[in-house]
Amino acid sequence: MTTARIQEFLATRRPPSPCLVVDLDVVRENYCAFRKALPDSRIFYAVKANPAPEILRLLASLGSCFDTASVPEIEMALAAGATPDGISFGNTIKKERDIARAYRLGIRLFAVDCVEEVEKIARSAPGSRVFCRVLTSGEGAEWPLSRKFGCTPEMAVDVLARAARLGLDAYGVSFHVGSQMVDTGAWDDALADARTVFDRLGEKGITLRMVNLGGGFPTRYLKDVPSAETYGRAIFDALRDHFGNRIPETIIEPGRGMVGNAGVIKSEVVLVSKKSDDDEVRWVYLDIGKFGGLAETMDEAIRYRIVTPRDGDITEPCVLAGPTCDSADVLYEKAPYPLPVSLTIGDEVLIEGTGAYTTTYSSVAFNGFEPLRSYVI
Amino acid sequence: MTTARIQEFLATRRPPSPCLVVDLDVVRENYCAFRKALPDSRIFYAVKANPAPEILRLLASLGSCFDTASVPEIEMALAAGATPDGISFGNTIKKERDIARAYRLGIRLFAVDCVEEVEKIARSAPGSRVFCRVLTSGEGAEWPLSRKFGCTPEMAVDVLARAARLGLDAYGVSFHVGSQMVDTGAWDDALADARTVFDRLGEKGITLRMVNLGGGFPTRYLKDVPSAETYGRAIFDALRDHFGNRIPETIIEPGRGMVGNAGVIKSEVVLVSKKSDDDEVRWVYLDIGKFGGLAETMDEAIRYRIVTPRDGDITEPCVLAGPTCDSADVLYEKAPYPLPVSLTIGDEVLIEGTGAYTTTYSSVAFNGFEPLRSYVI
């Protein structure tokens, strides 16, 4: 998964460690695969996954739309060449003054999941389109979504009815099956719920037109994942099952699926040690950890593929940790990571599939370490 | 715990939300309390807790030494007026080139916990003092330390003997009882281990002179904690128990205990909602969360005291969450937080005891949100 271009960049430029290198060719391939897999869906790239200007510019030039979480993300998308009608303010938690700022920037598409948010939008972004996020179970996702976003389908009916009464355009529903979702059937239940909301609002004379299928498309870490094509087929089948021949407009919001496999982090082994003479596992300390960009190892949720210069040698289970003085800065301990016994201080390792949710999670300067550097090639 | 000076600053300056305000008078009081409680110990402030230049300058002017985790932290301490002999490179995980840089900056005191690190220091910081970190149980700490740092006392003997053989000054041992340690007896077991290491090395003709008692001194969040004076007495008693009238030099490394209660975060309620009509808990979303500075709510470890303008009203259990589109950005859910039922969108809340481990944990720009702003007054 480390492309030839990334390999060449690392070999010739020798950037200081740690750093992330993103290959735009892979982003382009991913975009095209989504477009092909779901030709009738509009693609809103989830900017939060990786807001590097080069990535945003490429995607804007390919015709992508953008799902944003804040006003700065809206501004980044605009700066990259997106037009306001291709940007969604997809965060359900917004300060009213940020809604007003977004509206002044031309944004007319907002996510909501409660009446209170609808009221803010009606006041500060009058007439805009809103879609209501519906809770899903998140089962089968490797980075589960909990109940933080969304409301029950029953409540979504009230929320969208209120939006319509307040002069907003009750546009549709959204859901998110959970990030890194590997069960292609996950969209089926959510679409059944979406159909229910469509029907209930139809009875009130309100015609929804859009289903936002969210993100969740996985990237390959250690295990193979289904292709965009496989997802596309499953989603299309589920749409037809639930909406028959009145399939609504659809939106997808890939983030991880768009850039995850496009990036590789180069890191250095800082220390290899044992805690006592009879310890069974070795401790391997890298120059990047949970606070330097690998936040998604929290609870050992995401298990990255690590390539070392000693691959092929006998391996041994290792606890993998970051370089800070924080005891929570341990990457894999409950399930130790098999690494070559010959791995040694100073070795360079590649952490693959790290194009998404790394640079921006990185802390400002925890322990004095600078944020993760990034090169987009 | 929000001091009159902080209240006045917030009232007159009205800084944008979210932000941290740190009162230097409290830092000064804390420093003096440590000095009084442990008059024979040298105080090494743990820079990582809060490296704001104003804090470092104040502490340098008061005569504090500094415990640093990286070369940038060393540079910050020097810039604040510290002298190299008052700085310890206390991270046990160091790149060899960083050891060399520290050595060139005049640093001669290094932490180690394995032979491999000793070898690096012998090569790149010849003749320096080293102390070996010993594992402790961490029981009773609210932010436990795991096994990431330190080795067994038996191994510490080998590590320090090796240091002496390689021409380093085998100076002493260190331990860390765990951050936010509320059990004053915790230092006792660790000092018993330290004494063992002293004795075993004495038998080899190597005389250790220093015990680094680490940090762990708690700050007050929701519950009262013992005073510095109480800790000082417990530690002095334990030192006398284990070392008799040959008490070694001692070092303490307060971080949280020095600045935790000096800071208050001002935050704004962005949204209050329910997920369904029959939900028992309300969701309260703030404009700061796990990725904006409140990382220590991870696993709900640290429970901050939150002051609202509606305190005194009837309370209701609430799930408290941050403003990002990340489902992991939830502060308190397993143990919901009681907040006034009248709390409403736009209310300003104060999160107290947030002077330590907030600004630097903050992400660079997750979801486009800027890092936590800080005002030191």
Side-chain angles (χ1 to χ4, degrees):
Chain A
M1 271 169 49
T2 302
T3 64
R5 292 184 70 220
I6 293 178
Q7 275 168 357
E8 200 204 323
F9 177 85
L10 289 172
T12 57
R13 287 279 301 272
R14 303 208 56 73
S17 175
C19 69
L20 169 70
V21 187
V22 176
D23 184 343
L24 284 177
D25 284 355
V26 180
V27 179
R28 186 192 312 267
E29 280 162 27
N30 289 336
Y31 181 82
C32 294
F34 278 116
R35 182 115 108 188
K36 197 171 160 209
L38 288 153
D40 299 320
S41 293
R42 285 173 81 195
I43 300 173
F44 281 68
Y45 170 61
V47 174
K48 58 185 170 290
N50 191 327
E54 301 89 337
I55 294 173
L56 301 185
R57 279 199 298 268
L58 169 68
L59 289 171
S61 76
L62 293 171
S64 183
C65 301
F66 297 89
D67 164 44
T68 64
S70 64
V71 171
E73 284 195 355
I74 293 169
E75 290 167 339
M76 287 185 261
L78 291 171
T83 50
D85 63 323
I87 297 175
S88 146
F89 199 161
N91 193 340
T92 52
I93 309 153
K94 299 174 289 297
K95 289 185 180 173
E96 189 164 335
R97 54 185 178 278
D98 288 340
I99 295 170
R101 286 168 68 198
Y103 185 75
R104 282 197 298 273
L105 291 169
I107 308 307
R108 298 290 181 272
L109 181 57
F110 296 86
V112 297
D113 67 358
C114 62
V115 162
E116 292 78 2
E117 197 74 11
V118 162
E119 289 169 351
K120 290 183 203 168
I121 294 171
R123 282 190 298 264
S124 294
S128 291
R129 288 179 168 177
V130 295
F131 55 90
C132 184
R133 182 152 166 180
V134 176
L135 277 168
T136 56
S137 77
E139 273 172 48
E142 293 187 2
W143 185 254
L145 279 172
S146 82
R147 285 163 59 80
K148 182 173 175 189
F149 309 104
C151 61
T152 58
E154 298 72 43
M155 190 178 255
V157 173
D158 295 339
V159 167
L160 287 166
R162 178 68 153 269
R165 268 204 306 282
L166 292 175
L168 294 170
D169 178 1
Y171 184 39
V173 298
S174 77
F175 52 80
H176 198 297
V177 292
S179 195
Q180 187 66 6
M181 171 55 77
V182 289
D183 172 9
T184 56
W187 279 266
D188 193 66
D189 287 351
L191 282 168
D193 286 342
R195 173 63 200 252
T196 307
V197 179
F198 270 60
D199 288 349
R200 293 279 313 280
L201 281 157
E203 292 159 16
K204 294 172 188 279
I206 297 165
T207 309
L208 301 183
R209 287 111 62 207
M210 189 276 288
V211 174
N212 179 337
L213 301 156
F217 306 97
T219 196
R220 185 178 177 281
Y221 295 111
L222 281 172
K223 284 172 276 186
D224 278 332
V225 296
S227 66
E229 195 187 338
T230 309
Y231 282 93
R233 211 175 314 118
I235 289 171
F236 183 74
D237 288 349
L239 275 167
R240 209 172 35 195
D241 283 355
H242 297 292
F243 288 90
N245 51 15
R246 293 176 54 196
I247 292 181
E249 299 169 41
T250 54
I251 278 177
I252 57 170
E253 297 173 339
R256 191 187 305 279
M258 188 77 86
V259 294
N261 67 338
V264 171
I265 285 173
K266 164 181 150 170
S267 173
E268 181 181 322
V269 175
V270 182
L271 187 62
V272 180
S273 68
K274 289 200 169 191
K275 299 290 155 186
S276 71
D277 290 324
D278 53 357
D279 231 353
E280 305 244 316
V281 295
R282 296 190 306 159
W283 282 68
V284 173
Y285 300 89
L286 301 178
D287 63 1
I288 185 169
K290 211 169 246 170
F291 304 106
L294 302 179
E296 292 206 314
T297 57
M298 211 189 292
D299 299 325
E300 309 194 9
I302 299 285
R303 207 161 166 88
Y304 294 108
R305 184 172 145 78
I306 299 172
V307 177
T308 83
R310 320 268 179 182
D311 288 352
D313 286 4
I314 307 162
T315 64
E316 196 176 49
C318 296
V319 177
L320 206 63
T324 68
C325 287
D326 194 308
S327 56
D329 187 13
V330 174
L331 305 176
Y332 303 116
E333 181 173 20
K334 277 177 277 178
Y337 202 102
L339 287 170
V341 292
S342 49
L343 193 70
T344 193
I345 295 170
D347 280 355
E348 271 178 15
V349 302
L350 298 178
I351 309 172
E352 295 190 331
T354 43
Y357 299 112
T358 49
T359 46
T360 51
Y361 265 120
S362 162
S363 71
V364 187
F366 191 54
N367 274 224
F369 294 111
E370 66 176 35
L372 182 59
R373 238 176 266 222
S374 150
Y375 303 88
V376 180
I377 61 172
Chain B
M1 273 169 47
T2 301
T3 65
R5 292 184 71 222
I6 293 178
Q7 274 168 357
E8 201 203 324
F9 177 86
L10 289 173
T12 57
R13 286 279 302 272
R14 303 208 55 71
S17 175
C19 68
L20 169 70
V21 187
V22 175
D23 184 343
L24 284 177
D25 284 356
V26 179
V27 178
R28 185 192 313 266
E29 280 162 26
N30 290 336
Y31 181 82
C32 295
F34 278 117
R35 181 116 110 187
K36 197 171 160 207
L38 288 153
D40 299 320
S41 293
R42 286 173 82 196
I43 300 173
F44 282 67
Y45 170 62
V47 174
K48 58 185 171 288
N50 191 327
E54 300 90 338
I55 294 173
L56 301 185
R57 280 199 297 267
L58 169 68
L59 289 171
S61 76
L62 294 170
S64 183
C65 299
F66 296 89
D67 163 44
T68 63
S70 64
V71 172
E73 284 196 355
I74 293 170
E75 291 168 337
M76 288 186 261
L78 291 171
T83 51
D85 64 322
I87 297 174
S88 147
F89 199 161
N91 193 341
T92 52
I93 310 152
K94 300 175 288 299
K95 288 184 182 175
E96 190 164 335
R97 56 184 178 277
D98 288 339
I99 295 170
R101 286 167 67 195
Y103 186 75
R104 282 197 299 273
L105 291 169
I107 308 307
R108 298 291 182 272
L109 182 56
F110 295 86
V112 296
D113 67 358
C114 61
V115 162
E116 292 78 2
E117 197 74 10
V118 162
E119 289 169 351
K120 290 183 203 169
I121 294 170
R123 281 191 299 264
S124 295
S128 291
R129 290 178 167 178
V130 295
F131 55 91
C132 183
R133 182 152 167 182
V134 176
L135 277 168
T136 56
S137 78
E139 272 172 48
E142 293 187 2
W143 184 255
L145 279 172
S146 82
R147 286 163 57 82
K148 183 175 175 188
F149 310 104
C151 61
T152 59
E154 299 72 44
M155 191 178 254
V157 174
D158 296 338
V159 167
L160 287 165
R162 178 68 155 270
R165 268 205 307 283
L166 292 175
L168 295 170
D169 178 1
Y171 184 40
V173 297
S174 77
F175 52 80
H176 199 296
V177 293
S179 193
Q180 185 67 6
M181 171 54 78
V182 291
D183 172 10
T184 56
W187 280 265
D188 193 67
D189 287 351
L191 282 168
D193 285 343
R195 175 62 201 253
T196 306
V197 178
F198 270 61
D199 288 350
R200 293 280 313 280
L201 281 158
E203 292 158 14
K204 293 172 188 279
I206 298 165
T207 309
L208 300 183
R209 290 111 62 207
M210 188 276 288
V211 174
N212 179 337
L213 300 155
F217 307 97
T219 197
R220 185 178 177 282
Y221 294 112
L222 280 172
K223 285 174 276 186
D224 279 332
V225 297
S227 66
E229 197 187 337
T230 309
Y231 281 94
R233 211 175 314 121
I235 288 172
F236 182 75
D237 289 349
L239 276 167
R240 210 173 32 197
D241 283 355
H242 295 293
F243 288 90
N245 52 15
R246 293 176 55 197
I247 291 181
E249 299 169 40
T250 54
I251 278 176
I252 57 170
E253 297 173 337
R256 192 187 304 279
M258 188 75 88
V259 294
N261 67 339
V264 171
I265 285 173
K266 164 179 148 170
S267 173
E268 180 181 323
V269 176
V270 182
L271 187 62
V272 180
S273 68
K274 290 199 169 190
K275 299 289 156 186
S276 71
D277 290 324
D278 53 357
D279 231 353
E280 304 243 317
V281 295
R282 294 190 308 159
W283 282 68
V284 172
Y285 300 89
L286 301 178
D287 62 2
I288 185 169
K290 209 167 247 170
F291 304 105
L294 302 179
E296 292 206 313
T297 57
M298 212 189 290
D299 299 325
E300 309 194 11
I302 300 284
R303 206 163 167 87
Y304 294 108
R305 185 172 144 78
I306 299 173
V307 177
T308 81
R310 320 268 178 183
D311 288 351
D313 286 4
I314 307 162
T315 64
E316 196 176 50
C318 296
V319 177
L320 207 63
T324 67
C325 287
D326 194 308
S327 55
D329 186 12
V330 174
L331 306 176
Y332 304 116
E333 181 172 20
K334 278 177 277 176
Y337 202 102
L339 288 170
V341 292
S342 49
L343 193 71
T344 192
I345 294 169
D347 279 356
E348 271 178 16
V349 302
L350 298 178
I351 309 173
E352 295 191 333
T354 42
Y357 300 112
T358 49
T359 46
T360 51
Y361 264 121
S362 162
S363 72
V364 187
F366 191 53
N367 273 224
F369 293 112
E370 67 176 36
L372 182 59
R373 239 178 266 223
S374 150
Y375 303 88
V376 180
I377 60 172

